[in-house]
């Protein structure tokens, strides 16, 4: 069995991320050699959300420094004065002039790192942001002659839940073990993030069918929009969670409950736009927003969203006789939702796999893992298929069941 090294690149939204991992294909042991995430939250805060063209420019500016930091952390950044570079490769970056300039100065001065594959997110996400990562990955693959693996962002979120921390005593880097072989199938994956809310039926890793999804707003989007109604800064999800926790500790509740959209429906789909609208109209009727009232709204918003998620997941578990639930996406950093899903799994006597909180938001570790799992789909860096790669903002993880 061979040990493989995969460089992951992630630019689907507002995190510029690069990760280098080493995987023992026999034991499933994963070692993180380098992992860097640069967040753009502060840049987008004044817009109340992610501004796509600004995200694109930030990725252009940040990709080379983030790559260098990752390689340096992995002890894979070696300077050279003899690198032979085909500068025609730089035409791949014509649409990213700032990145092209940084690439032309930095990459020829370093030796080709010891990597077997480059993995890059091709969708779903913001297409202007995705294009930057794709073109950067194509240029690196071409200049280093490394096979390129196009990856689905949502599969990456699933895979971060399928790794476990290695036993104590590991000294060399952050180490994990792939536990996909321990999943009881069929499994259900719940993916909840700023842009997605989906329930995925899994027969195995790589085999996915969408059994439920949001008809309008995603969970994270609902958190952010209702937080904005309350006057909370972006990103709103963590602020709602913090205030909701305080409300529970102080036993503060909203006098009039908010709706739980589609909670009683037989449909496995979600809808959160009605909750957002209900919060807007309810807050307009208030004569003033006191700290306690703010906490009460935060708690009720979080409870309403959690109640809907649990109801939909419980029905899906029964419908598909799921043996394991696999949770992924940035919203799973929410402690209340995590705890409630763990209770649901316990009540249903099935397994649950959750990512580490610091791995739940967008990162390149998850794309490197997806690259490893999909390495048989790797493309020759100079092939027509690689040249034809494109950003797919609405790329589905699988067909609708």
């Amino acid at each position: 069995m061979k040990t493989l090294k995969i460089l992951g690149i992630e630019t689907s939204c507002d995190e510029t991320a690069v990760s280098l991992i080493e995987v023992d294909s026999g034991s499933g042991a994963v070692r993180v050699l380098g992992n860097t995430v640069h967040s753009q939250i502060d840049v987008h805060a004044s817009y109340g959300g992610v501004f796509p063209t600004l995200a694109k420019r930030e990725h252009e500016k940040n990709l080379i420094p983030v790559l260098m930091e990752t390689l340096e952390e992995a002890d894979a950044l070696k300077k050279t004065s003899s690198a032979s570079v085909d500068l025609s490769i730089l035409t791949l970056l014509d649409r990213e002039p700032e990145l092209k300039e940084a690439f032309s100065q930095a990459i020829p001065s370093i030796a080709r790192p010891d990597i077997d594959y480059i993995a890059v997110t091709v969708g779903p996400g913001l297409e202007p942001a995705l294009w930057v990562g794709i073109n950067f990955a194509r240029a690196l693959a071409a200049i280093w002659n490394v096979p390129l693996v196009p990856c689905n962002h949502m599969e990456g979120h699933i895979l971060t839940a399928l790794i476990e921390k290695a036993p104590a005593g590991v000294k060399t880097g952050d180490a994990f073990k792939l536990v996909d072989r321990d999943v009881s199938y069929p499994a259900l994956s719940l993916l909840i993030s700023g842009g997605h809310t989906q329930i995925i039926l899994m027969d195995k890793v790589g085999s996915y069918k969408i059994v439920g999804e949001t008809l309008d707003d995603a969970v994270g989007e609902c958190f952010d929009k209702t937080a904005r109604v309350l006057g909370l800064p972006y990103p709103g999800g963590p602020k709602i969670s913090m205030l909701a926790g305080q409300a529970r500790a102080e036993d503060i509740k909203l006098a009039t409950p908010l709706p739980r959209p589609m909670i009683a429906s037989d449909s496995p789909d979600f809808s959160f736009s009605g909750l957002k609208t209900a919060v807007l109209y309810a807050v307009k009727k208030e004569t003033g927003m006191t700290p306690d009232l703010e906490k009460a709204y935060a708690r009720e918003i979080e409870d309403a969203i959690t109640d809907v998620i649990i109801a939909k997941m419980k029905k899906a578990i029964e419908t598909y006789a799921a043996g394991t639930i696999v949770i992924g996406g940035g919203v799973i950093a929410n402690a209340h939702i995590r705890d409630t899903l763990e209770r649901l799994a316990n009540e249903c006597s099935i397994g649950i796999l959750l990512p580490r909180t610091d791995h739940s938001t967008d990162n390149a570790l998850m794309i490197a893992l997806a690259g490893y799992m999909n390495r048989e789909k790797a493309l020759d860096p100079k092939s027509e298929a690689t040249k034809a790669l494109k950003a797919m903002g609405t790329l589905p993880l699988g067909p609708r069941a």
Side-chain angles (χ1 to χ4, degrees):
M1 294 295 179
K2 186 179 180 183
T3 297
L4 301 171
K5 291 181 180 178
I6 301 97
L7 185 77
I9 299 169
E10 158 62 24
T11 64
S12 67
C13 192
D14 62 339
E15 273 87 21
T16 308
V18 177
S19 184
L20 180 60
I21 66 172
E22 182 180 73
V23 186
D24 185 317
S25 56
S27 67
V30 179
R31 188 159 65 98
V32 181
L33 305 177
N35 190 53
T36 308
V37 180
H38 183 280
S39 175
Q40 301 177 14
I41 284 178
D42 292 343
V43 176
H44 296 279
S46 61
Y47 295 93
V50 180
F51 195 65
T53 56
L54 180 56
K56 175 186 183 296
R57 290 198 298 270
E58 287 296 305
H59 288 312
E60 283 190 57
K61 181 172 67 176
N62 295 324
L63 266 170
I64 289 293
V66 168
L67 171 68
M68 295 302 186
E69 185 174 338
T70 296
L71 293 179
E72 186 171 14
E73 181 185 353
D75 195 26
L77 184 61
K78 310 297 182 184
K79 296 292 183 178
T80 182
S81 58
S82 60
S84 177
V85 177
D86 178 3
L87 295 180
S88 66
I89 288 168
L90 294 177
T91 59
L92 291 168
L93 299 172
D94 282 346
R95 298 201 301 184
E96 294 82 27
E98 186 172 358
L99 176 59
K100 181 178 181 179
E101 177 64 22
F103 190 101
S104 67
Q105 293 182 19
I107 301 304
S109 68
I110 65 172
R112 178 196 184 281
D114 177 21
I115 54 175
D116 298 286
Y117 298 96
I118 295 174
V120 64
T121 305
V122 297
L126 303 175
E127 288 196 1
L130 287 164
W131 270 118
V132 183
I134 292 168
N135 288 334
F136 180 60
R138 288 198 295 190
L140 283 180
I143 207 167
W144 288 339
N145 194 29
V146 177
L148 184 62
V149 187
C151 297
N152 187 299
H153 179 82
M154 303 313 291
E155 182 174 33
H157 277 305
I158 290 174
L159 294 175
T160 55
L162 298 185
I163 53 177
E164 66 179 4
K165 198 77 175 70
V170 174
K171 303 296 183 184
T172 52
D174 211 357
F176 306 89
K177 182 181 177 184
L178 282 168
V179 295
D180 60 292
R181 66 197 72 185
D182 299 328
V183 178
S184 178
Y185 293 104
L188 284 170
S189 179
L190 172 69
L191 301 176
I192 46 178
S193 66
H196 297 86
T197 302
Q198 294 180 328
I199 301 176
I200 307 293
L201 180 64
M202 299 169 52
D203 295 320
K204 61 179 181 178
V205 171
S207 176
Y208 310 110
K209 291 181 181 178
I210 301 169
V211 298
E213 58 191 330
T214 183
L215 303 177
D216 38 62
D217 292 349
V219 169
E221 186 180 3
C222 184
F223 271 125
D224 286 340
K225 288 181 176 179
T226 53
R228 195 181 311 163
V229 171
L230 296 177
L232 301 174
Y234 174 84
K239 310 297 189 304
I240 292 279
S241 180
M242 178 189 70
L243 291 172
Q246 293 174 2
R248 291 188 190 93
E250 299 168 24
D251 196 26
I252 298 172
K253 296 181 180 179
L254 197 65
T256 304
L258 293 168
R260 272 69 170 158
M262 294 184 68
I263 194 168
S265 169
D266 287 335
S267 169
D269 292 325
F270 301 82
S271 173
F272 292 106
S273 64
L275 175 59
K276 173 195 65 181
T277 303
V279 172
L280 176 64
Y281 285 122
V283 170
K284 281 184 176 180
K285 293 177 182 178
E286 302 291 354
T287 57
M289 185 60 65
T290 66
D292 280 357
L293 190 56
E294 192 176 66
K295 293 175 187 176
Y297 270 105
R299 177 181 180 177
E300 183 62 16
I301 290 166
E302 189 174 71
D303 283 348
I305 289 173
T306 304
D307 288 349
V308 171
I309 289 172
I310 295 303
K312 297 294 182 180
M313 282 299 291
K314 186 173 183 179
K315 185 170 183 60
I317 289 168
E318 295 169 351
T319 300
Y320 296 100
T324 308
I325 53 176
V326 181
I327 317 298
V331 175
I332 202 54
N334 180 293
H336 180 67
I337 294 177
R338 285 176 78 95
D339 292 345
T340 310
L341 283 166
E342 288 184 307
R343 287 198 297 272
L344 174 66
N346 186 56
E347 290 167 7
C348 296
S349 300
I350 63 173
I352 181 170
L353 296 174
L354 289 152
R356 257 174 41 176
T357 301
D358 60 328
H359 290 165
S360 59
T361 52
D362 292 351
N363 61 82
L365 168 61
M366 69 187 206
I367 303 306
L369 288 169
Y372 170 73
M373 298 301 289
N374 290 280
R375 61 194 182 279
E376 74 282 355
K377 300 176 184 176
L379 306 174
D380 183 293
K382 297 177 182 177
S383 68
E384 289 302 316
T386 298
K387 294 176 184 177
L389 275 182
K390 62 181 181 178
M392 293 174 277
T394 57
L395 178 67
L397 184 54
R400 177 75 194 226

CSV table of all heavy atoms in Angstrom, one decimal, residues 105-141:
chain,number,residue,atom,x,y,z
A,105,GLN,N,6.0,35.4,-9.9
A,105,GLN,CA,7.2,35.8,-9.1
A,105,GLN,C,7.5,34.7,-8.0
A,105,GLN,O,8.7,34.5,-7.8
A,105,GLN,CB,6.9,37.1,-8.3
A,105,GLN,CG,6.8,38.3,-9.2
A,105,GLN,CD,6.5,39.6,-8.5
A,105,GLN,OE1,6.8,39.7,-7.3
A,105,GLN,NE2,6.0,40.6,-9.1
A,106,ALA,N,6.5,34.0,-7.5
A,106,ALA,CA,6.7,33.1,-6.4
A,106,ALA,C,7.0,31.7,-6.8
A,106,ALA,O,7.9,31.0,-6.4
A,106,ALA,CB,5.5,33.1,-5.5
A,107,ILE,N,6.2,31.1,-7.7
A,107,ILE,CA,6.2,29.7,-8.0
A,107,ILE,C,7.5,29.3,-8.7
A,107,ILE,O,8.1,28.3,-8.4
A,107,ILE,CB,5.0,29.3,-8.9
A,107,ILE,CG1,3.7,29.6,-8.1
A,107,ILE,CG2,5.1,27.8,-9.2
A,107,ILE,CD1,3.7,28.9,-6.7
A,108,PRO,N,8.1,30.1,-9.7
A,108,PRO,CA,9.4,29.6,-10.3
A,108,PRO,C,10.5,29.6,-9.3
A,108,PRO,O,11.6,29.0,-9.6
A,108,PRO,CB,9.6,30.7,-11.4
A,108,PRO,CG,8.2,31.2,-11.7
A,108,PRO,CD,7.5,31.2,-10.4
A,109,SER,N,10.4,30.3,-8.2
A,109,SER,CA,11.5,30.3,-7.2
A,109,SER,C,11.5,29.2,-6.2
A,109,SER,O,12.4,29.1,-5.3
A,109,SER,CB,11.5,31.6,-6.5
A,109,SER,OG,10.3,31.7,-5.6
A,110,ILE,N,10.5,28.3,-6.3
A,110,ILE,CA,10.4,27.2,-5.3
A,110,ILE,C,10.5,25.8,-6.1
A,110,ILE,O,10.0,25.7,-7.2
A,110,ILE,CB,9.2,27.2,-4.4
A,110,ILE,CG1,7.9,27.0,-5.2
A,110,ILE,CG2,9.1,28.5,-3.6
A,110,ILE,CD1,6.6,26.9,-4.4
A,111,ALA,N,11.1,24.9,-5.4
A,111,ALA,CA,11.1,23.5,-6.0
A,111,ALA,C,9.8,22.8,-6.0
A,111,ALA,O,9.0,23.1,-5.1
A,111,ALA,CB,12.2,22.7,-5.3
A,112,ARG,N,9.5,22.0,-7.0
A,112,ARG,CA,8.3,21.2,-7.0
A,112,ARG,C,8.2,20.4,-5.7
A,112,ARG,O,9.1,19.6,-5.4
A,112,ARG,CB,8.3,20.2,-8.2
A,112,ARG,CG,7.0,19.4,-8.2
A,112,ARG,CD,7.3,18.2,-9.2
A,112,ARG,NE,6.1,17.4,-9.4
A,112,ARG,CZ,5.7,16.4,-8.6
A,112,ARG,NH1,6.3,16.2,-7.4
A,112,ARG,NH2,4.6,15.7,-8.9
A,113,PRO,N,7.1,20.6,-4.9
A,113,PRO,CA,6.9,19.8,-3.7
A,113,PRO,C,6.6,18.4,-4.0
A,113,PRO,O,6.1,18.0,-5.1
A,113,PRO,CB,5.8,20.5,-2.9
A,113,PRO,CG,5.0,21.2,-4.0
A,113,PRO,CD,6.0,21.6,-5.1
A,114,ASP,N,6.8,17.5,-3.0
A,114,ASP,CA,6.6,16.1,-3.1
A,114,ASP,C,5.1,15.8,-2.9
A,114,ASP,O,4.6,15.6,-1.8
A,114,ASP,CB,7.4,15.3,-2.1
A,114,ASP,CG,7.1,13.8,-2.2
A,114,ASP,OD1,6.6,13.3,-3.2
A,114,ASP,OD2,7.3,13.1,-1.2
A,115,ILE,N,4.3,15.9,-4.0
A,115,ILE,CA,2.8,15.7,-3.9
A,115,ILE,C,2.4,14.8,-5.1
A,115,ILE,O,3.0,14.8,-6.1
A,115,ILE,CB,2.0,17.0,-3.9
A,115,ILE,CG1,2.4,17.9,-5.1
A,115,ILE,CG2,2.2,17.8,-2.6
A,115,ILE,CD1,1.5,19.1,-5.3
A,116,ASP,N,1.4,14.0,-4.8
A,116,ASP,CA,0.9,13.1,-5.8
A,116,ASP,C,-0.3,13.6,-6.6
A,116,ASP,O,-0.6,13.2,-7.7
A,116,ASP,CB,0.5,11.7,-5.1
A,116,ASP,CG,1.7,11.1,-4.5
A,116,ASP,OD1,2.6,10.6,-5.2
A,116,ASP,OD2,1.8,11.1,-3.2
A,117,TYR,N,-1.2,14.4,-5.9
A,117,TYR,CA,-2.4,14.9,-6.5
A,117,TYR,C,-2.6,16.4,-6.0
A,117,TYR,O,-2.3,16.7,-4.9
A,117,TYR,CB,-3.6,14.1,-6.1
A,117,TYR,CG,-3.6,12.6,-6.6
A,117,TYR,CD1,-3.1,11.6,-5.7
A,117,TYR,CD2,-3.9,12.3,-7.9
A,117,TYR,CE1,-3.1,10.3,-6.1
A,117,TYR,CE2,-3.9,11.0,-8.3
A,117,TYR,CZ,-3.5,10.0,-7.4
A,117,TYR,OH,-3.4,8.7,-7.8
A,118,ILE,N,-3.3,17.1,-6.9
A,118,ILE,CA,-3.8,18.4,-6.5
A,118,ILE,C,-5.3,18.3,-6.6
A,118,ILE,O,-5.9,17.9,-7.6
A,118,ILE,CB,-3.3,19.6,-7.3
A,118,ILE,CG1,-1.8,19.8,-7.2
A,118,ILE,CG2,-4.1,20.9,-7.0
A,118,ILE,CD1,-1.2,20.8,-8.1
A,119,ALA,N,-6.1,18.6,-5.5
A,119,ALA,CA,-7.5,18.6,-5.4
A,119,ALA,C,-8.1,20.0,-5.3
A,119,ALA,O,-7.5,20.8,-4.6
A,119,ALA,CB,-8.0,17.7,-4.3
A,120,VAL,N,-9.1,20.3,-6.1
A,120,VAL,CA,-9.7,21.6,-6.1
A,120,VAL,C,-11.2,21.6,-6.1
A,120,VAL,O,-11.8,20.7,-6.8
A,120,VAL,CB,-9.1,22.5,-7.2
A,120,VAL,CG1,-9.6,21.9,-8.6
A,120,VAL,CG2,-9.5,23.9,-7.1
A,121,THR,N,-11.8,22.5,-5.4
A,121,THR,CA,-13.3,22.6,-5.4
A,121,THR,C,-13.7,23.2,-6.8
A,121,THR,O,-13.3,24.3,-7.2
A,121,THR,CB,-13.8,23.6,-4.3
A,121,THR,OG1,-13.3,23.1,-3.0
A,121,THR,CG2,-15.3,23.6,-4.3
A,122,VAL,N,-14.6,22.5,-7.4
A,122,VAL,CA,-15.2,23.0,-8.7
A,122,VAL,C,-16.7,23.5,-8.5
A,122,VAL,O,-17.3,24.1,-9.4
A,122,VAL,CB,-15.1,22.0,-9.8
A,122,VAL,CG1,-13.6,21.8,-10.2
A,122,VAL,CG2,-15.8,20.7,-9.5
A,123,GLY,N,-17.3,23.1,-7.4
A,123,GLY,CA,-18.6,23.6,-7.1
A,123,GLY,C,-19.2,22.7,-5.9
A,123,GLY,O,-18.5,21.7,-5.5
A,124,PRO,N,-20.3,23.1,-5.4
A,124,PRO,CA,-21.0,24.3,-5.6
A,124,PRO,C,-20.4,25.5,-4.9
A,124,PRO,O,-19.5,25.3,-4.0
A,124,PRO,CB,-22.4,24.0,-5.1
A,124,PRO,CG,-22.2,23.0,-4.0
A,124,PRO,CD,-21.0,22.2,-4.4
A,125,GLY,N,-20.8,26.7,-5.2
A,125,GLY,CA,-20.3,27.9,-4.5
A,125,GLY,C,-20.5,29.1,-5.4
A,125,GLY,O,-21.3,29.1,-6.3
A,126,LEU,N,-19.8,30.2,-5.0
A,126,LEU,CA,-19.9,31.4,-5.8
A,126,LEU,C,-19.0,31.3,-7.0
A,126,LEU,O,-17.7,31.1,-6.9
A,126,LEU,CB,-19.4,32.6,-4.9
A,126,LEU,CG,-20.2,32.8,-3.7
A,126,LEU,CD1,-19.6,34.0,-2.9
A,126,LEU,CD2,-21.7,33.2,-4.0
A,127,GLU,N,-19.5,31.3,-8.2
A,127,GLU,CA,-18.7,31.0,-9.4
A,127,GLU,C,-17.5,32.0,-9.6
A,127,GLU,O,-16.4,31.5,-9.9
A,127,GLU,CB,-19.6,31.0,-10.6
A,127,GLU,CG,-20.5,29.8,-10.7
A,127,GLU,CD,-21.1,29.6,-12.1
A,127,GLU,OE1,-20.8,30.4,-13.0
A,127,GLU,OE2,-21.9,28.6,-12.2
A,128,PRO,N,-17.6,33.3,-9.3
A,128,PRO,CA,-16.4,34.1,-9.4
A,128,PRO,C,-15.2,33.6,-8.5
A,128,PRO,O,-14.1,33.6,-8.8
A,128,PRO,CB,-16.8,35.5,-9.1
A,128,PRO,CG,-18.3,35.5,-9.4
A,128,PRO,CD,-18.8,34.1,-9.0
A,129,ALA,N,-15.6,33.2,-7.3
A,129,ALA,CA,-14.6,32.7,-6.3
A,129,ALA,C,-14.1,31.3,-6.7
A,129,ALA,O,-12.9,31.1,-6.7
A,129,ALA,CB,-15.3,32.6,-4.9
A,130,LEU,N,-15.0,30.4,-7.2
A,130,LEU,CA,-14.6,29.1,-7.6
A,130,LEU,C,-13.5,29.2,-8.8
A,130,LEU,O,-12.6,28.4,-8.8
A,130,LEU,CB,-15.8,28.3,-8.1
A,130,LEU,CG,-16.7,27.8,-7.0
A,130,LEU,CD1,-18.0,27.3,-7.6
A,130,LEU,CD2,-16.1,26.6,-6.2
A,131,TRP,N,-13.8,30.1,-9.7
A,131,TRP,CA,-12.9,30.2,-10.9
A,131,TRP,C,-11.4,30.5,-10.5
A,131,TRP,O,-10.5,30.0,-11.1
A,131,TRP,CB,-13.4,31.3,-11.8
A,131,TRP,CG,-14.3,30.8,-12.9
A,131,TRP,CD1,-15.6,31.2,-13.1
A,131,TRP,CD2,-14.1,29.8,-13.9
A,131,TRP,NE1,-16.2,30.5,-14.1
A,131,TRP,CE2,-15.3,29.7,-14.7
A,131,TRP,CE3,-13.0,29.1,-14.3
A,131,TRP,CZ2,-15.4,28.8,-15.7
A,131,TRP,CZ3,-13.1,28.2,-15.3
A,131,TRP,CH2,-14.2,28.1,-16.1
A,132,VAL,N,-11.3,31.3,-9.4
A,132,VAL,CA,-9.9,31.6,-9.0
A,132,VAL,C,-9.2,30.4,-8.6
A,132,VAL,O,-8.0,30.1,-8.9
A,132,VAL,CB,-9.9,32.7,-7.9
A,132,VAL,CG1,-8.5,33.1,-7.5
A,132,VAL,CG2,-10.7,33.9,-8.3
A,133,GLY,N,-9.8,29.6,-7.7
A,133,GLY,CA,-9.2,28.3,-7.2
A,133,GLY,C,-8.9,27.3,-8.3
A,133,GLY,O,-7.9,26.7,-8.4
A,134,ILE,N,-9.9,27.2,-9.3
A,134,ILE,CA,-9.7,26.3,-10.4
A,134,ILE,C,-8.6,26.7,-11.3
A,134,ILE,O,-7.7,25.8,-11.6
A,134,ILE,CB,-11.0,26.2,-11.2
A,134,ILE,CG1,-12.2,25.5,-10.4
A,134,ILE,CG2,-10.8,25.4,-12.5
A,134,ILE,CD1,-13.5,25.7,-11.0
A,135,ASN,N,-8.5,27.9,-11.7
A,135,ASN,CA,-7.4,28.4,-12.5
A,135,ASN,C,-6.0,28.3,-11.8
A,135,ASN,O,-5.0,27.9,-12.4
A,135,ASN,CB,-7.7,29.8,-13.0
A,135,ASN,CG,-8.8,29.8,-14.0
A,135,ASN,OD1,-9.1,28.8,-14.7
A,135,ASN,ND2,-9.5,31.0,-14.1
A,136,PHE,N,-6.0,28.6,-10.5
A,136,PHE,CA,-4.8,28.4,-9.8
A,136,PHE,C,-4.3,27.0,-9.7
A,136,PHE,O,-3.2,26.7,-9.9
A,136,PHE,CB,-5.0,29.0,-8.3
A,136,PHE,CG,-3.9,28.9,-7.4
A,136,PHE,CD1,-2.7,29.6,-7.7
A,136,PHE,CD2,-3.9,28.2,-6.2
A,136,PHE,CE1,-1.6,29.5,-6.9
A,136,PHE,CE2,-2.9,28.1,-5.4
A,136,PHE,CZ,-1.7,28.8,-5.7
A,137,ALA,N,-5.3,26.1,-9.5
A,137,ALA,CA,-5.0,24.6,-9.4
A,137,ALA,C,-4.5,24.1,-10.7
A,137,ALA,O,-3.6,23.3,-10.8
A,137,ALA,CB,-6.2,23.9,-8.9
A,138,ARG,N,-5.1,24.6,-11.8
A,138,ARG,CA,-4.7,24.1,-13.2
A,138,ARG,C,-3.3,24.6,-13.5
A,138,ARG,O,-2.5,23.9,-14.0
A,138,ARG,CB,-5.7,24.7,-14.2
A,138,ARG,CG,-7.0,24.0,-14.2
A,138,ARG,CD,-7.8,24.2,-15.5
A,138,ARG,NE,-8.2,25.6,-15.7
A,138,ARG,CZ,-9.0,26.0,-16.6
A,138,ARG,NH1,-9.6,25.1,-17.4
A,138,ARG,NH2,-9.3,27.2,-16.7
A,139,ALA,N,-3.0,25.8,-13.1
A,139,ALA,CA,-1.6,26.4,-13.3
A,139,ALA,C,-0.6,25.6,-12.5
A,139,ALA,O,0.5,25.2,-13.0
A,139,ALA,CB,-1.6,27.8,-13.0
A,140,LEU,N,-0.9,25.3,-11.2
A,140,LEU,CA,0.0,24.5,-10.4
A,140,LEU,C,0.2,23.1,-11.0
A,140,LEU,O,1.3,22.6,-11.0
A,140,LEU,CB,-0.5,24.5,-9.0
A,140,LEU,CG,-0.3,25.7,-8.1
A,140,LEU,CD1,-0.9,25.4,-6.7
A,140,LEU,CD2,1.2,26.1,-8.0
A,141,ALA,N,-0.9,22.5,-11.3
A,141,ALA,CA,-0.8,21.1,-11.9
A,141,ALA,C,0.0,21.1,-13.1
A,141,ALA,O,0.8,20.1,-13.3
A,141,ALA,CB,-2.2,20.6,-12.1
